[in-house]
Amino acid sequence: MADDAPTPDPAYPGLPAPPPLGSSALPAGTFADRVVLVTGGGTGLGKAIAAEFSRLGASLVVASRKPEHLAAAEEALAPLGPVATVACDIRDADQIAGAFDAAVATFGLPDVLINNAAANFPSPAEDLSPNAWRTVVDITLTGTYLCSREFARRHIAAGTPGSIVDVGASYAWTGGPGFAHSAAAKAGVKNMVETLAVEWGPYGIQVNGLVPGLVPHEDMTADIQQNLQRNRSHAASQPALRVGLPRELGWAATFLASPYGSFISGHTLVVDGANWQRRHLTNPPVVPVREQMGRGPFEG
Ligand code: HXC
Ligand code: NAP
């Protein structure tokens, strides 16, 4: 997804571009002999996060619903290292147990769980059907809980340590006009990180959150892409004067789950160039969500 980058101004260079794809801050082999399960790892940020673990030696298990996404994971990740894919809807505890069974049979019990899968679409809150609300909350919040529960139960029973990273969103703190369902679900995820880190720390299970800023990518769903395209320049609207790159989330996730991050737990790391901290007493004029989304009047 191309971004309309602002004309460079030498007075305002913005935050520097990151190192190239394939670089790593961690030592080679940091995740050798480690198994990493990534939900939604066949697209977008999940695929980029999985790739960074693989570059550091991990064996990957990618779990999501759609065969085309599992095939995309295989195609992108197999050249980097061992990868297995498994069909799984994270709303269903039995399917999650099946995905963990498949992981155990192929590589062993996952040492790291990346709860990346989520559901979202733009909509004025008053337009959402009860089932639309439930669908997003079931996938984003309940699915994250159910995967975490399966991971923890198996590690507690085995007496082995583990690390969980939950991918969130900054509207967990700020609210998200146009995304009431997702924002509420992500607030639940952020809160759950804090609870589970305390509950499971004594068993050696670390739980953290990881929040991307605006990170456009080619797999973004059509309605989210259209919603972004309807609005003004993405880079110019960020304090960093650039958007995020998928690999930057991969580097943060691998750090949190690495031995170098093992005393960090219950924390949510925001990787967004400070965009969510923008606060002014005078903001740009309010544009109602229906206008932002080009939706007609509410019809009841
Ligand atoms: C309004 C919608 C809708 C839409 C679905 N629904 N899409 N309502 N606007 N665009 C309603 C349906 O009408 C239905 O309600 C209910 O939601 C369930 O729809 P299904 O299609 O049956 O659900 P399902 O097949 O389970 O699909 C889930 C999904 C879909 C969320 C609707 O979009 C999906 O699979 N998404 C996965 C990928 C994804 O969401 N990625 C975004 C992550 S990005 P009724 O009442 O009719 O039964 C992210 C951060 C982005 O989270 C940040 C942006 C900057
Ligand atoms: P994406 O490409 O649409 O990824 C969503 C993934 O979730 C898909 O791979 C999808 O795979 C999987 N998924 C959805 N429902 C599922 C279910 N019921 N069971 C199993 N898997 C399911 O979006 P993305 O941008 O990479 O988002 C990844 C994460 O980053 C999400 O948590 C999102 O909220 C967060 N985020 C992204 C941005 C951004 O700018 N990109 C910003 C803030 C937060 P299947 O369809 O195959 O199931």
Side-chain angles (χ1 to χ4, degrees):
M1 200 182 160
D3 185 54
D4 47 349
T7 311
D9 179 338
Y12 302 111
L15 293 180
L21 187 65
S23 316
S24 178
L26 293 171
T30 295
F31 290 96
D33 306 321
R34 292 278 180 265
V35 181
V36 179
L37 192 157
V38 184
T39 64
T43 67
L45 303 192
K47 193 164 65 180
I49 290 170
E52 295 311 323
F53 278 101
S54 186
R55 282 188 237 286
L56 291 164
S59 296
L60 295 174
V61 181
V62 169
S64 79
R65 297 164 302 170
K66 296 183 183 157
E68 64 270 28
H69 292 162
L70 297 175
E74 180 76 33
E75 187 186 339
L77 300 170
L80 301 176
V83 57
T85 60
V86 55
C88 174
D89 188 324
I90 60 166
R91 287 169 283 192
D92 183 328
D94 291 339
Q95 290 188 40
I96 293 168
F100 274 82
D101 286 344
V104 168
T106 311
F107 298 127
L109 180 60
D111 302 281
V112 177
L113 169 65
I114 307 294
N115 280 313
N116 163 79
N120 199 6
F121 46 78
S123 175
E126 65 274 18
D127 286 0
L128 289 167
S129 71
N131 192 39
W133 171 275
R134 266 194 298 270
T135 299
V136 170
V137 174
D138 277 357
I139 296 173
T140 303
L141 176 57
T142 308
T144 297
Y145 166 67
L146 291 175
C147 291
S148 304
R149 171 184 179 274
E150 189 66 34
F151 180 89
R153 287 168 74 94
R154 290 183 187 235
H155 277 285
I156 292 168
T160 47
S163 182
I164 299 174
V165 178
D166 291 346
V167 180
S170 59
Y171 47 40
W173 291 274
T174 62
F179 298 91
H181 45 9
S182 170
K186 292 294 193 183
V189 168
K190 187 225 162 240
N191 184 278
M192 188 167 60
V193 163
E194 289 149 15
T195 300
L196 299 184
V198 173
E199 283 202 36
W200 295 343
Y203 300 108
I205 299 172
Q206 175 194 28
V207 187
N208 287 300
L210 175 61
V211 163
L214 179 57
V215 189
H217 56 78
E218 61 188 13
D219 297 327
M220 274 180 151
T221 55
D223 50 6
I224 288 180
Q225 291 206 30
Q226 283 158 15
N227 202 50
L228 287 173
Q229 280 156 5
R230 212 171 277 123
N231 297 304
R232 64 202 135 118
S233 166
H234 307 146
S237 63
Q238 310 283 314
L241 297 180
R242 71 172 178 86
V243 295
L245 296 173
R247 62 181 178 273
E248 298 186 280
L249 277 304
W251 292 329
T254 50
F255 169 67
L256 286 173
S258 78
Y260 305 92
S262 67
F263 200 52
I264 303 171
S265 197
H267 181 70
T268 292
L269 176 62
V270 183
V271 180
D272 81 336
N275 190 48
W276 82 283
Q277 304 286 10
R278 293 182 74 186
R279 293 286 185 279
H280 307 278
L281 285 178
T282 54
N283 285 299
V286 169
V287 181
V289 158
R290 305 196 80 83
E291 303 297 323
Q292 289 175 34
M293 295 181 180
R295 305 262 180 139
F298 176 64
E299 283 166 1

